[in-house]
Structures are given as structure tokens and as C-alpha cells.
Amino acid sequence: MAAQRADVTRLLARVQQAGASNFQDDPSAKGELLHTLDVLKREIEGPAAYLSRVRQAPLLNMCQLMAIEMGLLGAIVKRKGQSVDAHTLANDINRDELLIVRIMRLLTVHGFCDETSVRQYRSNANAELLNTPGMMGATRNMVELLYPIGGKLKPLLRETKAAGQAPSDLQSPYKYTFGTSLFDYLEKDAEHKVYFDDWMSSRRAGLRREWFDLYPIESRLVAGTDQSREAVFLVDVAGGKGHDISRLNSRFPGLPGRLVVQDLPRTFENYVAPEGIEANAHDIFTKQPIEGARTYFFRSVFHDWPEFRSLDILAHTAHAMKPGYSRLLIEDLVLPDRGADMRQASLDMTMYFMPEGIERTAGQWKDLLERAGLQIIKIWSDGSGMESVIEAELEGTMRTPS
């Protein structure tokens, strides 16, 4: 007990020291403070309470989904910070009052809405963000597509062990559960495809930096760019509906050359490209149709795919690149070799369970790119552990696309 008190006292001192710094402007210091607070909470809880809290975490996600689907969350948020009681909410959304109270009990204790009095609730910043299309899409996909996998893990592991093999791409948790890959599933399920696209489009919510805040685009790319009208300055590969490339265009109006966003044909159905942006339907596992562009940009693409699939994407890209001119930019996570934080470790396992992908360390990125005939010039990181831009160029002999 004395040792535990000493640990708590030491951790409190570290929190006070970190809190006195300007941590909001220093991603590394902010990450260290959050990590220390997590450790402090575990020390105070003790193992039994900590394990109980972790075990019950899925209940929060399910209550979030219920609040979204029942219209409960929207009914609270639309009042713009005004308190509302459970009876009024029950009448508004035609749901059982007691069930509303039970759901809100868990949501408020986790900071999603404030409990202003007995059976009275008020929205807050967390509730307002959760009520956006992107966050609702994320919640729906995580609960409806990830949780069923948990019920299949035991038979999957038993079968692969009996066969003397580890789960592979052909026997991934997602394919084992749903009978197809995540992206093939989404192409056939229009509802979840919308949820997924909304989720991906909103992933920068709350992040203050864009990739071009981190990476010096003017000195690294604009300088030396082909100035002819038909030249392509940047191809946003698998760029969804062009949110990233549109923000780039807004920040740097008048960039030399064309700006092109590529994605699957379904993404561009009933789609109007943002001003200054061209849409080009393209499957990343086929030949890259735009050759000799200044920049091929991939944001959060390669972590979706295992090694052999990532190599195919890179091979098609490398064969389209112009030696000595084209650059490959990858905005993605770069894991530390040790000491990954909760977000990094969780995202890596999300990639394993859902799209069969992986988050990579700097060494793994180097190996992957070199196998595709590319070399890393520099990795630009913001210190948060979540934002990095990898700059690469052609090197040596390129592998032939499969």
C-alpha cells in the first residue's frame, strides 16, 4: 500500500509538471501528459477495477449506437445546450422513458452529454461531435462490423491452430466472419459504404494540422514543377470525395498544374468535384492511368492492406512515376519501435481485424518501399505520433505489377 501511495504521489508530480507546460501547442508533451494520466488512473483503480472498466468498454459503444439510432442524441443536441428531461425526450422520439434514463446514465458518466439534474440532460462538445455524420458513421461501422468478429475469434483461432497455421489474408478475421473482405463488403452494402465514406471524410475532425502544414510543399514540390497547363501537379490516389485535395487547393490557390482526385466509380456517383479539382475513377490495383505527375499522394491507404497488396499498389504507382521528377507522398501513421500509445496500438489492431491491414514502423515502411523500387527521402512528423508524411522517390529496378 505504501508503494502504491508513493507511485501515485510521483505520478501526480509528473502531471503537475506537465500541466504547467504549454502542452496544447506541443503534441509530444500533450501525449506524455495523457499517458501519465492513464497510468495514474490505473494506479488509483487497482487491477480488479481496471480490468472491470476495460471489460465493460463495449457497453459504451453500444449505448452510443442506441442513442444515434433512436434519435435520442439528435433530440438532445438540437436544443443547443438547453437542458431537457427524459419525459420530454421520450415523447419527442416515441421511446421508453426508463430506457432513455438507463442509456443516458452510461453516456453521461463517460462525458457524452451533461447530467444537469435528476433525469435531465444537456449536450456538450462531445455529444455535438458524435452527432455529426462522420462520427455517427464511425460508430455504426465499428459496432456493426467489428463486434461480430469478436464472436468468431475462438473458432478461427482453433481452426488455424489445428491446421498448423496463423490467420493469413485468406483466413483473416473479417473474411472468416463475413465471408468477404471489408472493401468488397462495402461495395455491396450501400448503407455501410455511406457510413464508411462519412467516417473517412471526417477523420481530421479536431486535428489542427493538415499534411501540408507539416510538409513544406512549396519548397519541396512547387519548385521545379512542370509549368505547362496539361501537367498534373498532384494525384490524390484513393482520395474519396476530394476533401484533402480541396483543402490543399484552398490553402495554395494557383498551384502549377492540374489537381486530380481518384477513387472507385461508386464514390463518384452523383458527385460534383470541388472547383479546381478533376475526378478520375480508378482502382488502385490496376495500372495508374496518370503518368509523370509531380506528386502521387496517398492518405491513410496503405495501412488498409497487407504487404502483398500494398506492394501491388506501389508497383503500379512506381511505374507511372517519372524518374528524377515524380514524388510519392504517404500521409500515414509511423509507429515507434516501442512505447506505442493507446491510439496507435488500437488503430493497428483495428487494421488487423477489419481491412486486414497493418500500421507500420519506420523500418517496416523502409522495407516495403524498397521492395517496390522506391526509397524514402525523409519522414516528416509532428510529434503527436499520429501524423507523419513519408516522402519517397524512385530507386533502382522496379518490381513488375502482378
Side-chain angles (χ1 to χ4, degrees):
M1 186 65 70
Q4 184 184 29
R5 283 199 300 270
D7 287 339
V8 169
T9 301
R10 174 179 55 80
L11 289 166
L12 283 169
R14 286 175 58 186
V15 170
Q16 290 176 329
Q17 182 180 8
S21 67
N22 193 21
F23 62 86
Q24 290 291 6
D25 295 322
D26 183 345
S28 180
K30 184 176 181 179
E32 178 60 29
L33 175 58
L34 290 171
H35 173 70
T36 304
L37 287 169
D38 283 340
V39 176
L40 175 61
K41 186 172 184 177
R42 291 199 297 269
E43 283 291 331
I44 294 172
E45 284 178 312
Y50 168 65
L51 289 176
S52 176
R53 175 164 63 88
V54 171
R55 186 168 58 249
Q56 294 166 7
L59 298 174
L60 171 61
N61 299 140
M62 289 189 284
C63 283
Q64 288 174 324
L65 182 62
M66 292 179 73
I68 290 168
E69 295 299 332
M70 291 166 59
L72 173 58
L73 181 65
I76 296 173
V77 170
K78 75 177 183 180
R79 288 176 163 81
K80 301 184 183 300
Q82 297 297 313
S83 289
V84 57
D85 62 83
H87 182 72
T88 300
L89 289 168
N91 288 332
D92 276 4
I93 64 175
N94 194 28
R95 297 286 184 170
D96 179 67
E97 181 178 344
L98 179 58
L99 179 58
I100 289 172
V101 171
R102 297 174 73 184
I103 292 170
M104 292 307 299
R105 185 177 290 136
L106 191 60
L107 291 183
T108 54
V109 79
H110 280 280
F112 291 93
C113 295
D114 301 325
E115 189 175 28
T116 56
S117 187
V118 178
R119 296 192 173 196
Q120 292 191 15
Y121 316 101
R122 177 178 62 207
S123 67
N124 57 24
N126 294 329
E128 289 160 9
L129 181 58
L130 181 60
N131 196 52
T132 59
M135 294 301 103
M136 289 191 288
T139 301
R140 285 164 168 148
N141 268 317
M142 288 295 286
V143 174
E144 295 170 8
L145 302 184
L146 181 62
Y147 283 13
I149 295 173
K152 295 290 187 177
L153 288 178
K154 185 162 62 175
L156 168 63
L157 294 171
R158 285 178 175 175
E159 288 177 23
T160 52
K161 183 178 180 180
Q165 61 180 153
S168 64
D169 178 66
L170 299 177
Q171 192 74 322
S172 69
Y174 196 93
K175 282 184 179 178
Y176 185 85
T177 303
F178 292 98
T180 185
S181 71
L182 171 65
F183 296 111
D184 286 343
Y185 180 95
L186 292 176
E187 283 303 302
K188 297 173 184 176
D189 187 320
E191 183 179 20
H192 278 101
K193 179 68 163 63
V194 171
Y195 297 156
F196 185 83
D197 286 345
D198 286 343
W199 179 15
M200 294 300 102
S201 297
S202 71
R203 283 186 59 199
R204 300 203 69 88
L207 298 177
R208 292 178 294 172
R209 296 187 182 185
E210 301 282 359
W211 68 268
F212 42 81
D213 292 323
L214 182 60
Y215 176 82
I217 188 171
E218 292 177 299
S219 62
R220 306 292 292 190
L221 295 179
V222 174
T225 293
D226 184 347
Q227 300 290 322
S228 60
R229 292 183 60 184
E230 67 274 10
V232 175
F233 178 74
L234 187 140
V235 184
D236 187 357
V237 188
K241 296 181 178 180
H243 297 280
D244 283 303
I245 199 170
S246 183
R247 286 192 291 265
L248 171 68
N249 194 34
S250 296
R251 178 72 65 82
F252 299 97
L255 286 169
R258 296 151 53 200
L259 300 176
V260 181
V261 60
Q262 294 180 328
D263 214 289
L264 293 171
R266 169 171 279 187
T267 302
F268 295 139
E269 290 177 1
N270 304 314
Y271 172 73
V272 178
E275 185 177 354
I277 310 299
E278 300 174 31
N280 175 242
H282 171 57
D283 181 339
I284 55 176
F285 296 107
T286 62
K287 179 182 178 181
Q288 171 57 255
I290 299 176
E291 298 184 351
R294 177 60 163 159
T295 318
Y296 296 88
F297 175 72
F298 292 81
R299 177 174 178 264
S300 301
V301 172
F302 292 103
H303 73 168
D304 288 333
W305 302 101
E307 213 74 352
F308 77 98
R309 299 287 270 169
S310 293
L311 284 169
D312 273 347
I313 301 169
L314 286 168
H316 288 299
T317 305
H319 277 264
M321 293 172 69
K322 180 180 178 180
Y325 177 75
S326 298
R327 295 289 172 86
L328 172 68
L329 294 184
I330 299 171
E331 183 191 7
D332 226 315
L333 195 64
V334 178
L335 289 176
D337 289 319
R338 65 183 297 271
D341 65 27
M342 187 68 69
R343 297 171 302 168
Q344 295 167 332
S346 296
L347 189 53
D348 180 44
M349 291 310 297
T350 299
M351 294 302 105
Y352 170 72
F353 285 123
M354 295 188 73
E356 308 153 32
I358 182 174
E359 301 295 351
R360 297 173 172 91
T361 64
Q364 289 171 314
W365 279 114
K366 180 177 182 292
D367 178 67
L368 176 68
L369 291 168
E370 286 181 353
R371 291 174 64 191
L374 296 150
Q375 65 179 3
I376 293 177
I377 300 172
K378 185 174 180 178
I379 298 178
W380 310 74
S381 299
D382 73 344
S384 71
M386 296 298 290
E387 296 288 314
S388 293
V389 177
I390 302 168
E391 181 182 13
E393 62 183 356
L394 290 171
E395 176 194 57
T397 303
M398 296 171 289
R399 66 187 287 277
T400 302
S402 59

